[in-house]
Short mmCIF file of all heavy atoms in Angstrom, two decimals:
data_model
loop_
_atom_site.label_atom_id
_atom_site.label_comp_id
_atom_site.label_asym_id
_atom_site.label_seq_id
_atom_site.Cartn_x
_atom_site.Cartn_y
_atom_site.Cartn_z
N MET U 1 1.55 -14.66 -10.74
CA MET U 1 1.49 -14.32 -9.31
C MET U 1 2.31 -15.33 -8.52
O MET U 1 2.39 -16.48 -8.86
CB MET U 1 0.04 -14.37 -8.82
CG MET U 1 -0.83 -13.26 -9.40
SD MET U 1 -0.28 -11.63 -8.90
CE MET U 1 -1.02 -11.56 -7.25
N GLY U 2 2.87 -14.88 -7.44
CA GLY U 2 3.66 -15.77 -6.61
C GLY U 2 3.83 -15.18 -5.23
O GLY U 2 3.02 -14.36 -4.80
N THR U 3 4.85 -15.59 -4.58
CA THR U 3 5.11 -15.10 -3.23
C THR U 3 6.59 -14.80 -3.09
O THR U 3 7.39 -15.11 -3.97
CB THR U 3 4.74 -16.16 -2.19
OG1 THR U 3 5.54 -17.32 -2.45
CG2 THR U 3 3.28 -16.54 -2.26
N CYS U 4 6.93 -14.20 -1.97
CA CYS U 4 8.33 -14.12 -1.58
C CYS U 4 8.89 -15.55 -1.60
O CYS U 4 8.22 -16.47 -1.14
CB CYS U 4 8.43 -13.52 -0.18
SG CYS U 4 10.08 -13.59 0.54
N PRO U 5 10.11 -15.75 -2.12
CA PRO U 5 10.63 -17.11 -2.21
C PRO U 5 10.73 -17.81 -0.86
O PRO U 5 10.80 -19.04 -0.81
CB PRO U 5 12.02 -16.93 -2.83
CG PRO U 5 12.16 -15.52 -3.20
CD PRO U 5 10.99 -14.75 -2.70
N PHE U 6 10.77 -17.07 0.21
CA PHE U 6 11.02 -17.66 1.52
C PHE U 6 9.83 -17.61 2.47
O PHE U 6 9.86 -18.16 3.56
CB PHE U 6 12.23 -16.97 2.18
CG PHE U 6 13.39 -16.87 1.24
CD1 PHE U 6 13.87 -15.64 0.85
CD2 PHE U 6 13.98 -18.01 0.73
CE1 PHE U 6 14.93 -15.54 -0.04
CE2 PHE U 6 15.03 -17.93 -0.17
CZ PHE U 6 15.50 -16.68 -0.55
N HIS U 7 8.76 -16.93 2.06
CA HIS U 7 7.60 -16.77 2.94
C HIS U 7 6.32 -16.88 2.12
O HIS U 7 6.09 -16.07 1.22
CB HIS U 7 7.65 -15.41 3.66
CG HIS U 7 8.94 -15.20 4.41
ND1 HIS U 7 9.97 -14.46 3.90
CD2 HIS U 7 9.33 -15.68 5.60
CE1 HIS U 7 10.97 -14.49 4.77
NE2 HIS U 7 10.61 -15.22 5.81
N ASP U 8 5.50 -17.86 2.48
CA ASP U 8 4.29 -18.11 1.71
C ASP U 8 3.19 -17.08 1.96
O ASP U 8 2.29 -16.93 1.16
CB ASP U 8 3.72 -19.50 2.04
CG ASP U 8 4.61 -20.59 1.46
OD1 ASP U 8 5.34 -20.30 0.49
OD2 ASP U 8 4.57 -21.71 1.98
N ASN U 9 3.28 -16.39 3.08
CA ASN U 9 2.23 -15.44 3.44
C ASN U 9 2.51 -14.06 2.86
O ASN U 9 2.30 -13.05 3.50
CB ASN U 9 2.07 -15.35 4.95
CG ASN U 9 3.35 -14.92 5.64
OD1 ASN U 9 4.42 -15.01 5.06
ND2 ASN U 9 3.22 -14.43 6.86
N SER U 10 3.01 -14.02 1.64
CA SER U 10 3.35 -12.76 1.00
C SER U 10 2.69 -12.70 -0.37
O SER U 10 2.13 -13.69 -0.84
CB SER U 10 4.87 -12.63 0.86
OG SER U 10 5.35 -13.73 0.11
N GLN U 11 2.78 -11.56 -0.99
CA GLN U 11 2.18 -11.40 -2.31
C GLN U 11 3.16 -10.78 -3.28
O GLN U 11 3.99 -9.95 -2.90
CB GLN U 11 0.95 -10.49 -2.23
CG GLN U 11 -0.18 -11.10 -1.45
CD GLN U 11 -1.43 -10.26 -1.56
OE1 GLN U 11 -1.36 -9.06 -1.80
NE2 GLN U 11 -2.56 -10.91 -1.39
N THR U 12 3.06 -11.20 -4.51
CA THR U 12 3.88 -10.62 -5.57
C THR U 12 2.98 -10.10 -6.67
O THR U 12 2.00 -10.74 -7.02
CB THR U 12 4.82 -11.67 -6.18
OG1 THR U 12 5.53 -12.32 -5.17
CG2 THR U 12 5.81 -11.02 -7.12
N GLN U 13 3.31 -8.94 -7.18
CA GLN U 13 2.61 -8.43 -8.35
C GLN U 13 3.63 -8.16 -9.43
O GLN U 13 4.70 -7.61 -9.15
CB GLN U 13 1.90 -7.12 -8.02
CG GLN U 13 0.74 -7.29 -7.07
CD GLN U 13 0.06 -5.97 -6.83
OE1 GLN U 13 0.67 -4.92 -6.93
NE2 GLN U 13 -1.22 -6.03 -6.53
N PHE U 14 3.28 -8.53 -10.65
CA PHE U 14 4.10 -8.12 -11.77
C PHE U 14 3.93 -6.63 -11.94
O PHE U 14 2.81 -6.13 -12.06
CB PHE U 14 3.64 -8.83 -13.04
CG PHE U 14 4.65 -9.77 -13.59
CD1 PHE U 14 4.34 -11.09 -13.83
CD2 PHE U 14 5.94 -9.32 -13.86
CE1 PHE U 14 5.28 -11.96 -14.35
CE2 PHE U 14 6.89 -10.18 -14.36
CZ PHE U 14 6.57 -11.50 -14.61
N ALA U 15 5.00 -5.88 -11.91
CA ALA U 15 4.89 -4.44 -12.09
C ALA U 15 4.94 -4.13 -13.59
O ALA U 15 3.92 -3.92 -14.21
CB ALA U 15 6.01 -3.73 -11.36
N ASN U 16 6.11 -4.14 -14.14
CA ASN U 16 6.22 -3.96 -15.59
C ASN U 16 7.45 -4.69 -16.06
O ASN U 16 8.39 -4.88 -15.31
CB ASN U 16 6.28 -2.48 -15.96
CG ASN U 16 7.34 -1.76 -15.17
OD1 ASN U 16 8.46 -2.25 -15.04
ND2 ASN U 16 7.03 -0.60 -14.65
N GLY U 17 7.42 -5.12 -17.31
CA GLY U 17 8.55 -5.86 -17.84
C GLY U 17 8.82 -7.08 -17.00
O GLY U 17 7.92 -7.87 -16.76
N ASP U 18 10.02 -7.23 -16.50
CA ASP U 18 10.36 -8.41 -15.71
C ASP U 18 10.58 -8.04 -14.24
O ASP U 18 11.35 -8.68 -13.54
CB ASP U 18 11.58 -9.12 -16.29
CG ASP U 18 12.84 -8.28 -16.15
OD1 ASP U 18 12.72 -7.07 -15.93
OD2 ASP U 18 13.94 -8.86 -16.25
N ILE U 19 9.88 -7.01 -13.79
CA ILE U 19 10.03 -6.55 -12.41
C ILE U 19 8.87 -7.07 -11.56
O ILE U 19 7.72 -6.95 -11.96
CB ILE U 19 10.03 -5.01 -12.32
CG1 ILE U 19 11.01 -4.40 -13.33
CG2 ILE U 19 10.34 -4.56 -10.90
CD1 ILE U 19 12.43 -4.85 -13.15
N HIS U 20 9.18 -7.64 -10.41
CA HIS U 20 8.15 -8.03 -9.45
C HIS U 20 8.15 -7.09 -8.26
O HIS U 20 9.21 -6.74 -7.75
CB HIS U 20 8.41 -9.44 -8.91
CG HIS U 20 8.24 -10.51 -9.91
ND1 HIS U 20 7.07 -11.19 -10.07
CD2 HIS U 20 9.12 -11.03 -10.82
CE1 HIS U 20 7.22 -12.11 -11.03
NE2 HIS U 20 8.44 -12.03 -11.50
N ASN U 21 6.96 -6.71 -7.83
CA ASN U 21 6.82 -6.03 -6.54
C ASN U 21 6.39 -7.08 -5.53
O ASN U 21 5.30 -7.63 -5.64
CB ASN U 21 5.74 -4.94 -6.61
CG ASN U 21 6.21 -3.74 -7.40
OD1 ASN U 21 7.38 -3.41 -7.40
ND2 ASN U 21 5.28 -3.11 -8.09
N VAL U 22 7.23 -7.35 -4.56
CA VAL U 22 6.92 -8.34 -3.54
C VAL U 22 6.57 -7.61 -2.24
O VAL U 22 7.26 -6.68 -1.85
CB VAL U 22 8.12 -9.28 -3.29
CG1 VAL U 22 7.78 -10.32 -2.23
CG2 VAL U 22 8.55 -9.95 -4.58
N ASP U 23 5.46 -8.05 -1.65
CA ASP U 23 5.08 -7.47 -0.36
C ASP U 23 5.08 -8.59 0.66
O ASP U 23 4.15 -9.38 0.73
CB ASP U 23 3.70 -6.82 -0.47
CG ASP U 23 3.37 -6.01 0.76
OD1 ASP U 23 4.21 -5.94 1.67
OD2 ASP U 23 2.26 -5.45 0.80
N CYS U 24 6.14 -8.66 1.43
CA CYS U 24 6.32 -9.76 2.38
C CYS U 24 6.34 -9.21 3.81
O CYS U 24 7.09 -8.29 4.10
CB CYS U 24 7.64 -10.49 2.09
SG CYS U 24 8.01 -11.77 3.28
N PRO U 25 5.52 -9.77 4.70
CA PRO U 25 5.49 -9.29 6.08
C PRO U 25 6.82 -9.47 6.78
O PRO U 25 7.15 -8.72 7.70
CB PRO U 25 4.41 -10.15 6.75
CG PRO U 25 3.69 -10.85 5.66
CD PRO U 25 4.58 -10.86 4.45
N SER U 26 7.60 -10.44 6.37
CA SER U 26 8.88 -10.71 7.03
C SER U 26 10.03 -9.92 6.42
O SER U 26 10.86 -9.36 7.13
CB SER U 26 9.21 -12.20 6.96
OG SER U 26 8.19 -12.96 7.55
N CYS U 27 10.09 -9.88 5.10
CA CYS U 27 11.22 -9.24 4.43
C CYS U 27 10.98 -7.75 4.16
O CYS U 27 11.91 -6.97 4.11
CB CYS U 27 11.51 -9.92 3.10
SG CYS U 27 11.92 -11.67 3.26
N GLY U 28 9.70 -7.38 3.94
CA GLY U 28 9.40 -6.02 3.57
C GLY U 28 8.87 -5.97 2.16
O GLY U 28 8.63 -7.00 1.53
N ALA U 29 8.65 -4.76 1.67
CA ALA U 29 8.16 -4.58 0.31
C ALA U 29 9.35 -4.24 -0.57
O ALA U 29 9.95 -3.19 -0.44
CB ALA U 29 7.12 -3.46 0.27
N TYR U 30 9.66 -5.17 -1.43
CA TYR U 30 10.85 -4.96 -2.25
C TYR U 30 10.56 -5.21 -3.72
O TYR U 30 9.57 -5.83 -4.08
CB TYR U 30 12.01 -5.84 -1.76
CG TYR U 30 11.75 -7.33 -1.77
CD1 TYR U 30 12.12 -8.11 -2.86
CD2 TYR U 30 11.16 -7.96 -0.69
CE1 TYR U 30 11.91 -9.47 -2.87
CE2 TYR U 30 10.94 -9.33 -0.69
CZ TYR U 30 11.33 -10.08 -1.78
OH TYR U 30 11.12 -11.43 -1.79
N ARG U 31 11.45 -4.72 -4.57
CA ARG U 31 11.34 -4.92 -6.01
C ARG U 31 12.49 -5.81 -6.45
O ARG U 31 13.63 -5.62 -6.04
CB ARG U 31 11.39 -3.59 -6.75
CG ARG U 31 10.21 -2.70 -6.44
CD ARG U 31 10.11 -1.55 -7.43
NE ARG U 31 11.38 -0.85 -7.54
CZ ARG U 31 11.87 -0.40 -8.70
NH1 ARG U 31 11.21 -0.54 -9.81
NH2 ARG U 31 13.03 0.23 -8.72
N ILE U 32 12.17 -6.76 -7.30
CA ILE U 32 13.19 -7.73 -7.70
C ILE U 32 12.95 -8.14 -9.15
O ILE U 32 11.79 -8.19 -9.60
CB ILE U 32 13.16 -8.94 -6.74
CG1 ILE U 32 14.31 -9.90 -7.02
CG2 ILE U 32 11.80 -9.64 -6.76
CD1 ILE U 32 14.51 -10.95 -5.92
N SER U 33 14.01 -8.42 -9.85
CA SER U 33 13.86 -8.85 -11.24
C SER U 33 13.36 -10.28 -11.30
O SER U 33 13.55 -11.07 -10.37
CB SER U 33 15.18 -8.70 -12.00
OG SER U 33 16.03 -9.80 -11.73
N ASP U 34 12.71 -10.61 -12.40
CA ASP U 34 12.12 -11.94 -12.58
C ASP U 34 13.18 -13.04 -12.46
O ASP U 34 12.97 -14.06 -11.80
CB ASP U 34 11.45 -11.99 -13.95
CG ASP U 34 10.58 -13.22 -14.13
OD1 ASP U 34 9.88 -13.57 -13.17
OD2 ASP U 34 10.60 -13.80 -15.21
N VAL U 35 14.32 -12.83 -13.07
CA VAL U 35 15.37 -13.85 -13.05
C VAL U 35 15.95 -14.01 -11.65
O VAL U 35 16.18 -15.13 -11.18
CB VAL U 35 16.49 -13.49 -14.06
CG1 VAL U 35 17.57 -14.57 -14.05
CG2 VAL U 35 15.92 -13.34 -15.46
N ALA U 36 16.15 -12.90 -10.96
CA ALA U 36 16.67 -12.97 -9.60
C ALA U 36 15.69 -13.71 -8.69
O ALA U 36 16.09 -14.53 -7.85
CB ALA U 36 16.93 -11.56 -9.06
N LEU U 37 14.42 -13.46 -8.89
CA LEU U 37 13.39 -14.14 -8.10
C LEU U 37 13.42 -15.64 -8.38
O LEU U 37 13.33 -16.46 -7.46
CB LEU U 37 12.02 -13.55 -8.42
CG LEU U 37 10.86 -13.92 -7.49
CD1 LEU U 37 11.11 -13.43 -6.08
CD2 LEU U 37 9.56 -13.36 -8.02
N SER U 38 13.55 -16.00 -9.64
CA SER U 38 13.63 -17.42 -10.00
C SER U 38 14.85 -18.09 -9.36
O SER U 38 14.77 -19.22 -8.89
CB SER U 38 13.70 -17.58 -11.51
OG SER U 38 12.56 -17.06 -12.12
N ASP U 39 15.96 -17.39 -9.37
CA ASP U 39 17.17 -17.92 -8.72
C ASP U 39 16.91 -18.24 -7.26
O ASP U 39 17.29 -19.29 -6.75
CB ASP U 39 18.30 -16.88 -8.79
CG ASP U 39 19.03 -16.93 -10.13
OD1 ASP U 39 18.68 -17.76 -10.98
OD2 ASP U 39 19.98 -16.14 -10.30
N LEU U 40 16.24 -17.31 -6.58
CA LEU U 40 16.00 -17.48 -5.14
C LEU U 40 15.04 -18.63 -4.86
O LEU U 40 15.12 -19.25 -3.81
CB LEU U 40 15.46 -16.18 -4.54
CG LEU U 40 16.44 -15.00 -4.52
CD1 LEU U 40 15.74 -13.77 -3.99
CD2 LEU U 40 17.66 -15.32 -3.67
N ARG U 41 14.14 -18.87 -5.81
CA ARG U 41 13.18 -19.96 -5.60
C ARG U 41 13.85 -21.32 -5.57
O ARG U 41 13.28 -22.30 -5.09
CB ARG U 41 12.10 -19.94 -6.69
CG ARG U 41 11.15 -18.79 -6.53
CD ARG U 41 9.85 -19.02 -7.26
NE ARG U 41 9.10 -17.78 -7.39
CZ ARG U 41 8.45 -17.19 -6.40
NH1 ARG U 41 8.45 -17.74 -5.20
NH2 ARG U 41 7.80 -16.07 -6.59
N ASN U 42 15.05 -21.40 -6.11
CA ASN U 42 15.77 -22.67 -6.06
C ASN U 42 16.37 -22.96 -4.69
O ASN U 42 16.84 -24.06 -4.43
CB ASN U 42 16.90 -22.66 -7.11
CG ASN U 42 16.35 -22.63 -8.52
OD1 ASN U 42 15.29 -23.18 -8.79
ND2 ASN U 42 17.06 -21.97 -9.42
N LEU U 43 16.35 -21.94 -3.84
CA LEU U 43 16.89 -22.11 -2.49
C LEU U 43 15.77 -22.47 -1.53
O LEU U 43 14.63 -22.06 -1.71
CB LEU U 43 17.56 -20.81 -2.02
CG LEU U 43 18.60 -20.20 -2.95
CD1 LEU U 43 19.02 -18.84 -2.44
CD2 LEU U 43 19.80 -21.13 -3.07
N ARG U 44 16.10 -23.24 -0.51
CA ARG U 44 15.09 -23.60 0.48
C ARG U 44 14.94 -22.52 1.54
O ARG U 44 13.85 -22.28 2.06
CB ARG U 44 15.45 -24.92 1.16
CG ARG U 44 15.19 -26.11 0.27
CD ARG U 44 15.81 -27.36 0.83
NE ARG U 44 15.55 -28.50 -0.07
CZ ARG U 44 14.49 -29.29 0.04
NH1 ARG U 44 13.63 -29.09 1.01
NH2 ARG U 44 14.31 -30.27 -0.81
N THR U 45 16.01 -21.90 1.85
CA THR U 45 15.98 -20.86 2.89
C THR U 45 16.71 -19.63 2.39
O THR U 45 17.50 -19.69 1.46
CB THR U 45 16.65 -21.34 4.19
OG1 THR U 45 18.00 -21.72 3.88
CG2 THR U 45 15.92 -22.53 4.78
N ALA U 46 16.43 -18.52 3.02
CA ALA U 46 17.07 -17.27 2.63
C ALA U 46 18.58 -17.36 2.88
O ALA U 46 19.00 -17.79 3.95
CB ALA U 46 16.47 -16.11 3.43
N PRO U 47 19.38 -16.96 1.90
CA PRO U 47 20.83 -17.00 2.10
C PRO U 47 21.28 -15.95 3.10
O PRO U 47 20.57 -14.97 3.34
CB PRO U 47 21.40 -16.70 0.71
CG PRO U 47 20.32 -15.95 0.01
CD PRO U 47 19.01 -16.46 0.57
N THR U 48 22.42 -16.16 3.67
CA THR U 48 23.00 -15.17 4.58
C THR U 48 23.11 -13.83 3.86
O THR U 48 23.57 -13.79 2.72
CB THR U 48 24.41 -15.63 5.03
OG1 THR U 48 24.30 -16.92 5.60
CG2 THR U 48 24.99 -14.67 6.05
N GLY U 49 22.68 -12.78 4.51
CA GLY U 49 22.78 -11.46 3.91
C GLY U 49 21.53 -11.04 3.15
O GLY U 49 21.46 -9.91 2.68
N TRP U 50 20.56 -11.94 3.05
CA TRP U 50 19.33 -11.60 2.31
C TRP U 50 18.59 -10.43 2.93
O TRP U 50 18.22 -9.47 2.25
CB TRP U 50 18.43 -12.84 2.22
CG TRP U 50 17.03 -12.55 1.78
CD1 TRP U 50 15.91 -12.67 2.54
CD2 TRP U 50 16.60 -12.08 0.50
NE1 TRP U 50 14.81 -12.31 1.81
CE2 TRP U 50 15.20 -11.95 0.56
CE3 TRP U 50 17.28 -11.76 -0.67
CZ2 TRP U 50 14.46 -11.49 -0.54
CZ3 TRP U 50 16.53 -11.31 -1.75
CH2 TRP U 50 15.14 -11.19 -1.68
N ARG U 51 18.36 -10.50 4.23
CA ARG U 51 17.63 -9.43 4.92
C ARG U 51 18.32 -8.08 4.72
O ARG U 51 17.68 -7.06 4.50
CB ARG U 51 17.52 -9.72 6.41
CG ARG U 51 16.66 -10.91 6.75
CD ARG U 51 15.21 -10.62 6.41
NE ARG U 51 14.36 -11.76 6.67
CZ ARG U 51 13.79 -12.01 7.86
NH1 ARG U 51 13.97 -11.20 8.87
NH2 ARG U 51 13.03 -13.07 8.02
N GLU U 52 19.65 -8.12 4.81
CA GLU U 52 20.44 -6.90 4.66
C GLU U 52 20.30 -6.36 3.23
O GLU U 52 20.17 -5.16 3.02
CB GLU U 52 21.90 -7.21 4.98
CG GLU U 52 22.80 -5.99 5.03
CD GLU U 52 22.30 -4.94 6.02
OE1 GLU U 52 21.83 -5.33 7.10
OE2 GLU U 52 22.37 -3.75 5.69
N LEU U 53 20.33 -7.26 2.27
CA LEU U 53 20.18 -6.87 0.87
C LEU U 53 18.82 -6.20 0.63
O LEU U 53 18.73 -5.16 -0.03
CB LEU U 53 20.32 -8.11 -0.02
CG LEU U 53 20.08 -7.91 -1.52
CD1 LEU U 53 21.11 -6.97 -2.12
CD2 LEU U 53 20.11 -9.25 -2.23
N VAL U 54 17.77 -6.79 1.20
CA VAL U 54 16.43 -6.22 1.04
C VAL U 54 16.36 -4.85 1.70
O VAL U 54 15.86 -3.90 1.11
CB VAL U 54 15.36 -7.16 1.63
CG1 VAL U 54 14.00 -6.49 1.64
CG2 VAL U 54 15.31 -8.46 0.85
N ARG U 55 16.88 -4.78 2.92
CA ARG U 55 16.84 -3.49 3.63
C ARG U 55 17.52 -2.40 2.82
O ARG U 55 17.04 -1.28 2.71
CB ARG U 55 17.55 -3.63 4.99
CG ARG U 55 16.64 -3.39 6.17
CD ARG U 55 17.39 -3.19 7.45
NE ARG U 55 18.50 -4.13 7.63
CZ ARG U 55 18.38 -5.28 8.26
NH1 ARG U 55 17.24 -5.64 8.78
NH2 ARG U 55 19.42 -6.07 8.40
N ARG U 56 18.67 -2.75 2.24
CA ARG U 56 19.46 -1.79 1.48
C ARG U 56 18.70 -1.36 0.22
O ARG U 56 18.67 -0.18 -0.13
CB ARG U 56 20.80 -2.42 1.10
CG ARG U 56 21.91 -1.42 0.88
CD ARG U 56 23.24 -2.13 0.77
NE ARG U 56 23.23 -3.18 -0.24
CZ ARG U 56 23.84 -4.36 -0.12
NH1 ARG U 56 24.51 -4.64 0.96
NH2 ARG U 56 23.79 -5.24 -1.10
N SER U 57 18.09 -2.31 -0.45
CA SER U 57 17.39 -1.97 -1.70
C SER U 57 16.16 -1.10 -1.42
O SER U 57 15.83 -0.22 -2.20
CB SER U 57 17.01 -3.22 -2.47
OG SER U 57 15.79 -3.75 -2.03
N ILE U 58 15.50 -1.37 -0.29
CA ILE U 58 14.35 -0.54 0.08
C ILE U 58 14.81 0.88 0.40
O ILE U 58 14.23 1.86 -0.06
CB ILE U 58 13.59 -1.15 1.26
CG1 ILE U 58 12.92 -2.47 0.84
CG2 ILE U 58 12.54 -0.17 1.80
CD1 ILE U 58 12.34 -3.27 1.99
N ALA U 59 15.88 0.98 1.16
CA ALA U 59 16.39 2.29 1.56
C ALA U 59 16.84 3.11 0.36
O ALA U 59 16.65 4.32 0.31
CB ALA U 59 17.54 2.13 2.54
N ARG U 60 17.41 2.42 -0.63
CA ARG U 60 17.94 3.13 -1.79
C ARG U 60 16.97 3.16 -2.95
O ARG U 60 17.28 3.68 -4.01
CB ARG U 60 19.24 2.46 -2.25
CG ARG U 60 20.37 2.59 -1.24
CD ARG U 60 21.60 1.88 -1.73
NE ARG U 60 22.68 1.93 -0.75
CZ ARG U 60 23.81 1.24 -0.86
NH1 ARG U 60 24.01 0.47 -1.90
NH2 ARG U 60 24.73 1.34 0.06
N HIS U 61 15.82 2.52 -2.79
CA HIS U 61 14.82 2.44 -3.87
C HIS U 61 15.41 1.80 -5.11
O HIS U 61 15.17 2.26 -6.23
CB HIS U 61 14.26 3.83 -4.21
CG HIS U 61 13.67 4.53 -3.03
ND1 HIS U 61 12.46 4.17 -2.49
CD2 HIS U 61 14.15 5.53 -2.27
CE1 HIS U 61 12.21 4.94 -1.47
NE2 HIS U 61 13.22 5.77 -1.30
N THR U 62 16.20 0.79 -4.91
CA THR U 62 16.79 0.10 -6.06
C THR U 62 16.15 -1.27 -6.23
O THR U 62 15.50 -1.80 -5.34
CB THR U 62 18.31 -0.09 -5.87
OG1 THR U 62 18.54 -0.77 -4.64
CG2 THR U 62 19.03 1.24 -5.86
N LEU U 63 16.37 -1.80 -7.40
CA LEU U 63 15.86 -3.12 -7.77
C LEU U 63 16.87 -4.19 -7.34
O LEU U 63 18.07 -4.00 -7.52
CB LEU U 63 15.68 -3.14 -9.28
CG LEU U 63 15.23 -4.42 -9.94
CD1 LEU U 63 13.78 -4.70 -9.64
CD2 LEU U 63 15.47 -4.33 -11.43
N ILE U 64 16.38 -5.27 -6.79
CA ILE U 64 17.26 -6.41 -6.50
C ILE U 64 17.46 -7.18 -7.79
O ILE U 64 16.50 -7.63 -8.42
CB ILE U 64 16.65 -7.32 -5.41
CG1 ILE U 64 16.51 -6.52 -4.10
CG2 ILE U 64 17.52 -8.55 -5.21
CD1 ILE U 64 15.76 -7.27 -3.02
N SER U 65 18.71 -7.28 -8.19
CA SER U 65 19.03 -7.89 -9.49
C SER U 65 19.75 -9.22 -9.29
O SER U 65 20.10 -9.59 -8.17
CB SER U 65 19.93 -6.94 -10.29
OG SER U 65 21.19 -6.84 -9.64
N THR U 66 19.99 -9.91 -10.38
CA THR U 66 20.73 -11.17 -10.29
C THR U 66 22.15 -10.93 -9.79
O THR U 66 22.73 -11.79 -9.16
CB THR U 66 20.81 -11.87 -11.66
OG1 THR U 66 21.24 -10.93 -12.63
CG2 THR U 66 19.44 -12.41 -12.05
N ARG U 67 22.68 -9.76 -10.07
CA ARG U 67 24.02 -9.45 -9.58
C ARG U 67 24.02 -9.49 -8.05
O ARG U 67 24.95 -10.00 -7.42
CB ARG U 67 24.44 -8.06 -10.08
CG ARG U 67 25.92 -7.78 -9.94
CD ARG U 67 26.29 -6.59 -10.81
NE ARG U 67 25.38 -5.48 -10.59
CZ ARG U 67 25.73 -4.37 -9.93
NH1 ARG U 67 26.93 -4.22 -9.44
NH2 ARG U 67 24.85 -3.40 -9.78
N ASP U 68 22.95 -8.96 -7.45
CA ASP U 68 22.84 -8.95 -5.99
C ASP U 68 22.63 -10.36 -5.44
O ASP U 68 23.29 -10.77 -4.49
CB ASP U 68 21.64 -8.08 -5.55
CG ASP U 68 21.81 -6.64 -5.98
OD1 ASP U 68 22.92 -6.10 -5.83
OD2 ASP U 68 20.83 -6.06 -6.45
N THR U 69 21.69 -11.08 -6.05
CA THR U 69 21.35 -12.40 -5.50
C THR U 69 22.49 -13.39 -5.72
O THR U 69 22.76 -14.21 -4.85
CB THR U 69 20.06 -12.95 -6.14
OG1 THR U 69 20.19 -12.98 -7.56
CG2 THR U 69 18.86 -12.10 -5.76
N ARG U 70 23.16 -13.30 -6.86
CA ARG U 70 24.26 -14.24 -7.10
C ARG U 70 25.45 -13.94 -6.22
O ARG U 70 26.23 -14.83 -5.88
CB ARG U 70 24.64 -14.24 -8.58
CG ARG U 70 23.57 -15.03 -9.35
CD ARG U 70 23.69 -14.97 -10.84
NE ARG U 70 22.46 -15.56 -11.41
CZ ARG U 70 22.14 -15.55 -12.68
NH1 ARG U 70 22.94 -14.99 -13.56
NH2 ARG U 70 21.02 -16.09 -13.09
N ALA U 71 25.60 -12.68 -5.81
CA ALA U 71 26.67 -12.35 -4.87
C ALA U 71 26.41 -13.03 -3.52
O ALA U 71 27.34 -13.39 -2.80
CB ALA U 71 26.75 -10.83 -4.69
N LEU U 72 25.13 -13.23 -3.19
CA LEU U 72 24.79 -13.88 -1.92
C LEU U 72 24.96 -15.39 -2.00
O LEU U 72 25.28 -16.03 -1.00
CB LEU U 72 23.33 -13.61 -1.56
CG LEU U 72 22.91 -12.21 -1.13
CD1 LEU U 72 21.46 -12.23 -0.76
CD2 LEU U 72 23.77 -11.72 0.02
N THR U 73 24.70 -15.95 -3.17
CA THR U 73 24.59 -17.41 -3.25
C THR U 73 25.84 -18.08 -3.81
O THR U 73 25.87 -19.28 -3.97
CB THR U 73 23.38 -17.81 -4.13
OG1 THR U 73 23.52 -17.19 -5.40
CG2 THR U 73 22.08 -17.36 -3.50
N THR U 74 26.85 -17.29 -4.12
CA THR U 74 28.09 -17.92 -4.62
C THR U 74 29.23 -17.61 -3.70
O THR U 74 29.16 -16.68 -2.90
CB THR U 74 28.44 -17.41 -6.04
OG1 THR U 74 28.45 -16.00 -6.04
CG2 THR U 74 27.47 -17.93 -7.06
ZN1 ZN L 1 9.96 -12.85 2.64
#
């Protein structure tokens, strides 16, 4: 169990395999891979474009992957 990497007042549930369902009041309810989530935990604050990435993944019902998060952080 954990939280959104950027907001402590959120909840994460392991869905299946390495997928997390995160329910964050600030970011929204999104799905993210375990490795991508770990990558984000190394950051102190949300990278530029994070909110947009979450919005897009929710709208498209897609999983946030390391490809997405690394595009933001590199
Ligand atoms: Zn959040």
Side-chain angles (χ1 to χ4, degrees):
M1 292 296 280
T3 60
C4 171
F6 312 117
H7 305 99
D8 289 336
N9 59 341
S10 58
Q11 293 188 335
T12 309
Q13 292 182 333
F14 245 126
N16 52 45
D18 67 342
I19 310 301
H20 292 266
N21 288 327
V22 180
D23 190 1
C24 175
S26 302
C27 300
Y30 59 94
R31 295 194 309 140
I32 187 167
S33 81
D34 191 41
V35 181
L37 192 63
S38 299
D39 277 359
L40 292 176
R41 288 200 195 286
N42 294 327
L43 307 173
R44 285 168 180 270
T45 58
T48 305
W50 166 248
R51 293 292 178 88
E52 187 56 39
L53 175 63
V54 172
R55 242 195 317 268
R56 206 170 54 219
S57 85
I58 293 171
R60 294 178 183 171
H61 304 286
T62 55
L63 176 73
I64 298 172
S65 67
T66 50
R67 195 164 49 108
D68 298 317
T69 55
R70 284 172 190 172
L72 290 183
T73 56
T74 52

